[in-house]
Amino acid sequence: GRLEAVTQQMGYHPQYLDSFLKTQHYLMHMDGPLPFDCRHYIAIMAAARHQCRYLVNLHVLQFLRAGGDPQWLRGLDFIPPKLRNLNEINKILAHRPWLITKEHIEKLLKISEWSWSLAELVHAVVLLAHCHALASFVFGCGCEQDEGPGGRGSLKPLSPGNQCFCEVGNGCSQELLRINRKRSLDSCMELESLRECVQRIHVETEGREEMRLLQQDREEGEGQGVEVGVQDGTEHRSDPSVGLFPLTDTDGEVTGATNLACYMQDPDFGYQDFARRDEDQTQVFRVQDYSWEDHGFSLVNRLYSDIGHLLDEKFRMVDGLQSSAMAKRQGCEPSVFKRGIWNYIHCMFGIRYDDYDYAEVNQLLERMLKVYIKTVTCYPEKTNSEMFDRFWKQFKHSEKVHVNLLILEARMQAELLYALQAITQYMI
């Protein structure tokens, strides 16, 4: 009966969770350019780039539920060439999105037998960026790791009888997917049910926060320097029934892949610092020349109906989250603090704002926070369980989740800007 881990974490900010669930559901389950099984396989490919077993396993199950060919789960060598051709843009988007060019787009659109349509490609790009950024959130909030008492909540293994985060409040059973694929967004979302679910999540997360603060006070009273995993003199061992599990079907057979390498090529390709002092900086992406508001939104909404509105709502929602406590601790206004985090993340991907003084970043963000943000953003698979607990020890859990939501949305927008700009250049 426990809520799925991503939903638990986002539940600290129920308004954002509402927006996220609508977008997730629309991407994966509503009418769109791509077949349902392909959507989940693309999500598998994206999550595998960051070795995120948590998301891979979720989408393996959803892929099979959508009628996907089990042979595809053997790896990229067993999928149609059209889908396999997406591997290159997946790799670049995940690690060095500034390398994407209109030639990459042209290659996918011009292959005669296995060509993509513009609408299909936009849907695929949004899925890739969504899952890359979500992998950052999963690792950043510790959803990939086992949790003990007093932590972020013990998790039950997902089985076909449970709901995944893309289904909460939406009633997306296999029968609904088969019969009602053509329903409108408003009728299928069952928004009232979704709001009730979000409210329930909010109540649960408030209770967990109170328990965490009580536990923290107890630990501080017993003295500093207690080893991780040892509380009240008792060692908490990992319970084999909680944490990360391969998915199982109704007969108990494991369906999740144990070797994620089969879902990607060139596994050594990873993030490299964009700002190299010895490199030409002419490739800096200037938001004044191509922005989400003025360019990306209209393009994506034209080629994939309504998704632009949902993404825009999600970007605005995370920007509107209350952060007065965080900002007060840093001695600045909430908007200034959030913009510092957002612009720092974009800067790591070579995106610059001409009207921003980047000296503010070093003034606003302490070194440990910057290390955490960069790790979660650029190579989330290197995030360990201690990093979340150790950065900003004086901050509430909900505030740390807020930072991870900013990372998720800033990273997703950065990837989308590069991909949509390349598509625009191809179309000109």
Side-chain angles (χ1 to χ4, degrees):
R2 292 300 298 242
L3 291 165
E4 184 277 330
V6 167
T7 311
Q8 286 185 31
Q9 299 304 317
M10 291 185 181
Y12 284 96
H13 303 280
Q15 288 182 315
Y16 173 86
L17 175 61
D18 188 354
S19 180
F20 173 86
L21 290 175
K22 287 191 292 185
T23 305
Q24 170 79 19
H25 180 66
Y26 189 80
L27 275 172
M28 292 299 179
H29 300 298
M30 293 301 294
D31 195 29
L34 292 175
F36 293 94
D37 58 342
C38 288
R39 302 181 197 191
H40 291 291
Y41 200 87
I42 290 170
I44 292 170
M45 292 171 63
R49 284 307 315 182
H50 286 305
Q51 303 168 39
C52 186
R53 294 180 182 274
Y54 177 94
L55 288 180
V56 168
N57 284 341
L58 280 174
H59 286 288
V60 162
L61 180 58
Q62 294 298 307
F63 170 78
L64 294 173
R65 283 180 172 178
D69 185 350
Q71 288 297 315
W72 291 16
L73 299 179
R74 297 175 65 184
L76 299 184
D77 293 336
F78 299 87
I79 64 176
K82 177 178 178 178
L83 201 54
R84 187 163 59 248
N85 290 338
L86 198 64
N87 177 70
E88 183 70 10
I89 198 171
N90 174 37
K91 176 184 76 174
I92 296 173
L93 261 184
H95 305 294
R96 305 174 206 171
W98 57 88
L99 296 180
I100 288 182
T101 65
K102 66 178 182 179
E103 284 73 29
H104 291 107
I105 305 301
E106 184 176 18
K107 184 177 180 181
L108 289 169
L109 298 175
K110 291 293 186 180
I111 302 173
S112 57
E113 186 178 359
W114 305 106
S115 62
W116 290 71
S117 70
L118 269 173
E120 289 175 331
L121 185 56
V122 166
H123 192 171
V125 162
V126 175
L127 277 172
L128 291 172
H130 174 81
C131 293
H132 295 154
L134 189 55
S136 285
F137 183 85
V138 167
F139 280 104
C141 285
C143 300
E144 186 90 351
Q145 294 127 7
D146 291 350
E147 298 298 335
R152 296 186 284 286
S154 302
L155 308 177
K156 300 294 184 183
L158 185 72
S159 66
N162 297 128
Q163 291 179 311
C164 78
F165 59 85
C166 56
E167 293 178 313
V168 174
N170 296 314
C172 294
S173 66
Q174 187 174 5
E175 182 179 0
L176 181 64
L177 285 174
R178 184 174 65 253
I179 298 175
N180 296 327
R181 286 177 176 175
K182 299 296 183 181
R183 283 190 176 183
S184 67
L185 177 62
D186 288 339
S187 62
C188 184
M189 286 298 293
E190 299 179 2
L191 290 178
E192 192 58 39
S193 174
L194 179 60
R195 292 188 184 99
E196 291 176 2
C197 178
V198 170
Q199 182 60 36
R200 178 167 58 87
I201 292 167
H202 184 49
V203 171
E204 276 199 21
T205 53
E206 284 184 334
R208 288 200 305 276
E209 179 70 4
E210 290 178 4
M211 291 180 62
R212 187 193 71 83
L213 292 174
L214 288 172
Q215 180 70 24
Q216 186 181 57
D217 291 342
R218 185 160 57 247
E219 289 176 355
E220 290 175 353
E222 292 173 355
Q224 302 295 324
V226 181
E227 293 184 6
V228 176
V230 180
Q231 300 173 358
D232 302 329
T234 305
E235 182 180 1
H236 297 296
R237 301 185 182 276
S238 296
D239 184 339
S241 67
V242 300
L244 178 67
F245 287 82
L247 299 175
T248 58
D249 60 21
T250 53
D251 297 322
E253 180 182 352
V254 174
T255 58
T258 56
N259 180 18
L260 303 191
C262 70
Y263 295 125
M264 58 180 169
Q265 297 171 354
D266 195 5
D268 294 330
F269 186 90
Y271 175 82
Q272 289 184 351
D273 283 342
F274 177 87
R276 295 288 184 88
R277 296 181 184 277
D278 57 345
E279 291 184 0
D280 185 6
Q281 292 299 300
T282 56
Q283 59 181 332
V284 167
F285 188 112
R286 300 201 175 279
V287 175
Q288 284 69 21
D289 299 329
Y290 196 96
S291 68
W292 166 257
E293 293 81 6
D294 297 332
H295 306 90
F297 169 81
S298 58
L299 175 64
V300 73
N301 218 46
R302 175 157 52 94
L303 294 172
Y304 181 15
S305 178
D306 291 331
I307 192 63
H309 292 292
L310 290 169
L311 292 174
D312 195 60
E313 176 189 303
K314 197 154 60 80
F315 292 147
R316 294 176 186 275
M317 189 63 66
V318 78
D319 184 57
L321 291 179
Q322 295 298 316
S323 58
S324 55
M326 291 194 298
K328 185 177 180 181
R329 288 185 175 95
Q330 301 303 110
C332 64
E333 292 296 318
S335 60
V336 174
F337 182 63
K338 285 186 290 188
R339 189 181 184 194
I341 294 177
W342 187 279
N343 288 1
Y344 175 57
I345 295 167
H346 275 196
C347 183
M348 289 186 285
F349 288 115
I351 299 174
R352 306 280 289 190
Y353 296 79
D354 288 344
D355 61 349
Y356 186 72
D357 180 7
Y358 285 86
E360 286 188 10
V361 171
N362 290 330
Q363 298 170 7
L364 294 171
L365 310 181
E366 59 191 53
R367 182 179 176 277
M368 285 305 297
L369 175 59
K370 289 174 67 177
V371 169
Y372 175 82
I373 291 175
K374 183 171 184 177
T375 304
V376 174
T377 302
C378 302
Y379 19 77
E381 63 276 7
K382 295 183 180 180
T383 308
N384 58 52
S385 58
E386 295 181 359
M387 291 184 69
F388 184 94
D389 296 323
R390 287 184 176 179
F391 95 87
W392 282 3
K393 292 185 73 69
Q394 75 276 25
F395 278 63
K396 296 179 181 179
H397 183 91
S398 60
E399 293 170 333
K400 295 185 178 185
V401 173
H402 187 175
V403 172
N404 279 286
L405 291 177
L406 285 168
I407 292 172
L408 186 161
E409 295 301 339
R411 177 181 177 177
M412 182 175 184
Q413 189 179 103
E415 291 189 24
L416 284 178
L417 284 175
Y418 278 109
L420 295 175
Q421 183 192 50
I423 291 174
T424 300
Q425 291 171 344
Y426 166 80
M427 295 173 64
I428 294 176

